[in-house]
Amino acid sequence: YAIDIDYQNPERIYGGTQDNNTIRTLTGGTSDWEPILGGDGMYTLVDYTDPETIYAEYQWGNLYRSDDGGLSMNYISGPMAGDRVNWSAPLIMHPVNPATLYFGTYRVWKSADRGNSWQPVSSDLTAGINQYFYTITTLAVSNVDPAIVIAGTGDGKVHVSTNDGQSWQDISN
């Protein structure tokens, strides 16, 4: 579903796979992949300043963080657990401050402390129908201006925030 690399050690590659966990290779090889989180692996991120910090997710927004390079994983999506969420819920890292994360359910959640705590920074950005198609399917933070965050939904809505998620404008048209 998604891959990331360790930017300090680019041969270390991480990825989420259908029915086969979140997996990694520490050598870049083709035959030494190993699982680090079960389920259907989805988004995976490696902190670009600290390769010991790895985020991995399995289906329906079950988000975890490892602080020891993937040896153990800790559940960090508690506050979002009751939200309507996509099969592959988007997770992104701020391009300047890696402690800041954004996570999408039917609303955007933000953490300023590597996922230890989360706050919703948007209301429902979908059409509001209680089905998993009405969820956020993609998120992006601008590398040029990190105050700009964009959210896209499964029902065709697009919202932009120009102030770090404090307010959102529907730009779907």
Side-chain angles (χ1 to χ4, degrees):
Y1 282 96
I3 63 169
D4 200 16
I5 64 168
D6 175 343
Y7 288 90
Q8 296 181 24
N9 302 291
E11 69 280 357
R12 295 180 181 177
I13 305 167
Y14 299 78
T17 62
Q18 175 74 43
D19 296 328
N20 289 296
N21 311 303
T22 297
I23 58 175
R24 72 172 177 195
T25 174
L26 298 177
T27 68
T30 59
S31 61
D32 63 347
W33 290 81
E34 62 184 352
I36 62 169
L37 182 66
D40 292 302
M42 301 296 171
Y43 281 82
T44 304
L45 296 175
V46 180
D47 183 326
Y48 50 85
T49 63
D50 176 12
E52 294 296 304
T53 303
I54 301 164
Y55 302 90
E57 171 194 4
Y58 66 82
Q59 68 270 23
W60 305 118
N62 288 287
L63 181 60
Y64 288 75
R65 183 186 72 229
S66 174
D67 298 316
D68 58 10
L71 297 175
S72 63
M73 303 297 280
N74 299 302
Y75 183 75
I76 61 169
S77 58
M80 299 88 82
D83 275 11
R84 186 173 67 246
V85 63
N86 195 273
W87 169 256
S88 180
L91 171 69
I92 57 172
M93 186 179 296
H94 193 279
V96 177
N97 180 358
T100 300
L101 305 168
Y102 292 92
F103 186 78
T105 61
Y106 63 86
R107 54 188 169 172
V108 178
W109 290 80
K110 183 178 181 180
S111 173
D113 59 7
R114 302 175 339 127
N116 290 322
S117 63
W118 294 91
Q119 289 73 41
V121 293
S122 78
S123 59
D124 190 341
L125 298 182
T126 74
I129 298 171
N130 195 14
Q131 295 177 1
Y132 74 91
F133 292 112
Y134 296 89
T135 56
I136 295 171
T137 57
T138 192
L139 288 169
V141 177
S142 171
N143 287 324
V144 176
D145 180 355
I148 299 173
V149 184
I150 298 174
T153 70
D155 58 339
K157 297 238 179 229
V158 179
H159 286 80
V160 64
S161 171
T162 57
N163 54 10
D164 300 305
Q166 294 176 39
S167 62
W168 294 85
Q169 178 184 2
D170 186 341
I171 60 167
S172 302
N173 290 333

